[in-house]
Amino acid sequence: MTDRTEDSGNIQVVLEGAGRKIVVFACTWCALIGADGAGKKRISLPATFRVIPVECISRVEADAVIRAFTSGIDGVAVMGCHLGGCRHNGANLRSARKLELLKPLLDTVGIDSRRLFTSYGTAHEYHQFAQAIESFCSQIGEMPPVSAWSRSFVRAMSARGENE
Amino acid sequence: MSLREEVLTRVKALLKDRRVDGVLGLSLFEKEPVPCLFEDPFDVDALVIEPKWLLAKLAMNILKTAPQEYRLGLVCRGCDDRAVTELAKRNQLDRNRLTLLGIPCTAEQARKCLCSTPYPREIVAGERVEGMYPMNDEQAQLFLTGSMEERMKRWARELNRCIKCYGCRNVCPICVCIPCKLEDDLWVKRGHIPADMVSYHLIRAFHLSDTCVSCAGCTDTCPVNIPLMLLQVSMRETLKSQYAYEPGLDPERVSPVLTEQEKGEGTLFQEPAWIDSLRGGS
């Protein structure tokens, strides 16, 4: 996995851990503001992540995270408001607990819970957002791609003489 | 008097006194055990208590379809008792219409199910045996320990056998959602083998994270012998260590992932200290 640097205009795009796909679920009220700010400030960020805005992170079901991993996403970040500061009656607290409960399951089957990054209220400023994303992206870059995980399924099947 | 005879006497007394209109248990039909609803005390001699058979979901369906005043007795083991508790918490059955006749499992059965509480809260006959801790089982350890790569390979080998018969979902006493996400093409494509089965199994396992009563029904049912119950072990452990919560044991306590945080309760995640100031408390 070679890193390469592209210059497009005055924005420097660093493809770190290229080929990895990262999905960021960002709460409109916190992390998305941070993401917006990072864009306005033209901070250089890894190009491997995509942001999906959600009204509140309680809209992100654990099933959605599972679905992301099984469809080949290498890392999922869920970024919401600080616990106790949710606009929807503490909905993010319940969601946070569910996501924390998902981690042992991810560990059990070998997906590795470090691929799921959760942050509550620590990314509403642009530099905080950039820092969180950068460290998460570099962490995912060091880990094998999730496709290795799904490939092991295909391999086990071809060993049985089935093709897919 | 054997365990079965004691249960028979209890069931007959219940039916004779008209305290229940019917008792759900197992009977032998052509030497095979089948669930049976006994409504006449004279039929009860056909009742058997072995093997383990999950009756909670059946009891729920009987209560849902029977007239409002119908009261049901249920010969149940520890897992059925916990399942009934969880179903009642979720308003799936009316606990007042149900009389439980609790029987303990044998030590052998408990070992087979890796059950930590192989007895109901109230038992009418028999002796309690100690349960076992899933992590002490050698076969379970194989699946729950090791590096990420080892785990991944082991589970890949297991889950690959899945023929997606939906048996694990159908047998599970807690799986009662309508509509079911596992039938929604957005989450799991139906008819695809095995492309979506990882999401199938993980979504199924996670939906039961705070409700799984560890009845081992999924493992027993699986036609290709996937040890599905082991997927739940780590989440159960987390709930137990962080919130001292075990599904099905306390009829009053709501699952911790559905409640607001209480003071003095363990947390799964580190909260920064400044959060307290936002809560308006000390």
Side-chain angles (χ1 to χ4, degrees):
Chain A
M1 209 58 66
T2 50
D3 291 354
R4 75 205 152 85
T5 308
E6 282 174 11
D7 273 322
S8 54
N10 50 5
I11 307 169
Q12 203 185 36
V13 183
V14 184
L15 293 175
E16 201 178 289
R20 305 291 198 280
K21 293 177 195 149
I22 290 165
V23 165
V24 180
F25 291 104
C27 161
T28 323
W29 304 103
C30 280
L32 196 69
I33 298 173
D36 256 356
K40 280 177 196 153
K41 294 274 178 193
R42 308 207 158 198
I43 289 187
S44 78
L45 285 171
T48 47
F49 75 95
R50 294 292 178 271
V51 178
I52 300 178
V54 285
E55 173 66 25
C56 171
I57 56 152
S58 60
R59 300 292 296 144
V60 184
E61 290 167 284
D63 305 348
V65 177
I66 293 169
R67 197 77 184 82
F69 284 129
T70 52
S71 52
I73 302 294
D74 298 286
V76 176
V78 182
M79 298 168 132
C81 298
H82 44 72
L83 302 169
C86 183
R87 292 185 178 228
H88 304 281
N89 286 336
N92 70 346
L93 181 63
R94 279 168 232 184
S95 180
R97 287 189 185 186
K98 284 206 168 185
L99 288 173
E100 292 302 314
L101 201 52
L102 177 64
K103 286 181 178 174
L105 178 64
L106 294 179
D107 275 337
T108 303
V109 293
I111 294 183
D112 201 336
S113 60
R114 283 175 300 165
R115 292 187 194 274
L116 171 61
F117 171 72
T118 48
S119 136
Y120 308 108
T122 46
H124 58 283
E125 295 277 351
Y126 69 92
H127 54 89
Q128 292 169 330
F129 180 84
Q131 197 190 6
I133 287 294
E134 248 165 47
S135 66
F136 182 54
C137 285
S138 67
Q139 192 189 346
I140 291 295
E142 286 162 16
M143 295 165 81
V146 142
S147 56
W149 195 78
S150 45
R151 251 206 316 278
S152 68
F153 280 78
V154 180
R155 226 182 284 130
M157 272 189 337
S158 53
R160 291 207 317 259
E162 295 167 28
N163 41 18
E164 169 83 52
Chain B
M1 205 152 73
S2 75
L3 179 58
R4 177 174 166 267
E5 281 162 359
E6 278 183 65
V7 175
L8 280 190
T9 338
R10 290 286 188 139
V11 172
K12 277 181 191 165
L14 271 182
L15 285 171
K16 270 186 190 146
D17 298 350
R18 293 249 141 242
R19 271 185 286 159
V20 293
D21 297 302
V23 173
L24 182 63
L26 288 180
S27 86
L28 288 180
F29 177 72
E30 294 181 348
K31 291 181 185 168
E32 289 289 322
V34 284
C36 180
L37 184 60
F38 299 96
E39 291 186 318
D40 189 333
F42 294 105
D43 296 339
V44 176
D45 286 321
L47 185 132
V48 290
I49 52 171
E50 291 288 334
K52 179 192 101 175
W53 196 302
L54 294 161
L55 296 168
K57 209 172 188 175
L58 210 51
M60 177 192 85
N61 285 334
I62 290 173
L63 286 178
K64 271 186 179 169
T65 46
Q68 261 307 312
E69 62 278 0
Y70 195 91
R71 292 150 305 156
L72 187 71
L74 176 67
V75 181
C76 74
R77 288 160 185 264
C79 39
D80 267 338
D81 178 39
R82 295 193 294 274
V84 164
T85 310
E86 284 298 313
L87 287 172
K89 269 198 230 171
R90 283 162 178 73
N91 294 328
Q92 295 299 316
L93 56 79
D94 185 355
R95 192 64 183 73
N96 297 327
R97 290 167 66 200
L98 197 64
T99 309
L100 295 183
L101 291 149
I103 50 170
C105 285
T106 57
E108 191 192 1
Q109 183 70 49
R111 213 174 312 121
K112 206 174 139 202
C113 296
L114 301 178
C115 185
S116 55
T117 32
Y119 43 82
R121 267 173 304 152
E122 287 168 29
I123 52 175
V124 295
E127 289 294 316
R128 286 168 192 213
V129 293
E130 279 304 304
M132 70 168 293
Y133 182 61
M135 285 300 271
N136 292 344
D137 185 70
E138 273 179 33
Q139 220 241 328
Q141 273 177 3
L142 273 179
F143 285 95
L144 300 171
T145 52
S147 73
M148 287 300 153
E149 205 183 338
E150 284 165 4
R151 292 181 197 203
M152 171 223 290
K153 279 187 182 148
R154 209 165 284 134
W155 279 103
R157 204 170 56 225
E158 294 298 317
L159 295 181
N160 249 316
R161 294 203 298 267
C162 179
I163 55 170
K164 241 166 126 182
C165 64
Y166 282 72
C168 43
R169 182 202 62 172
N170 295 344
V171 79
C172 178
I174 310 294
C175 263
V176 289
C177 298
I178 300 169
C180 179
K181 241 180 193 176
L182 300 177
E183 288 175 6
D184 189 338
D185 278 351
L186 176 67
W187 300 99
V188 179
K189 287 258 187 320
R190 277 181 291 176
H192 279 226
I193 302 172
D196 270 340
M197 88 220 146
V198 187
S199 34
Y200 173 92
H201 284 294
L202 294 190
I203 288 176
R204 195 193 65 82
F206 188 75
H207 277 203
L208 299 165
S209 55
D210 62 332
T211 41
C212 173
V213 293
S214 66
C215 62
C218 39
T219 310
D220 291 347
T221 290
C222 186
V224 289
N225 296 324
I226 304 174
L228 287 166
M229 201 191 66
L230 297 181
L231 283 176
Q232 310 287 353
V233 172
S234 58
M235 290 188 286
R236 281 176 63 82
E237 287 299 309
T238 314
L239 278 176
K240 203 172 164 184
S241 62
Q242 300 291 328
Y243 302 110
Y245 178 79
E246 272 189 83
L249 292 190
D250 188 349
E252 303 300 326
R253 195 167 162 206
V254 183
S255 157
V257 293
L258 298 175
T259 48
E260 290 287 326
Q261 188 142 13
E262 289 156 29
K263 282 254 183 265
E265 193 189 337
T267 45
L268 279 172
F269 37 81
Q270 290 295 310
E271 281 186 32
W274 47 265
I275 280 182
D276 279 346
S277 64
L278 293 159
R279 289 232 179 84
S282 53

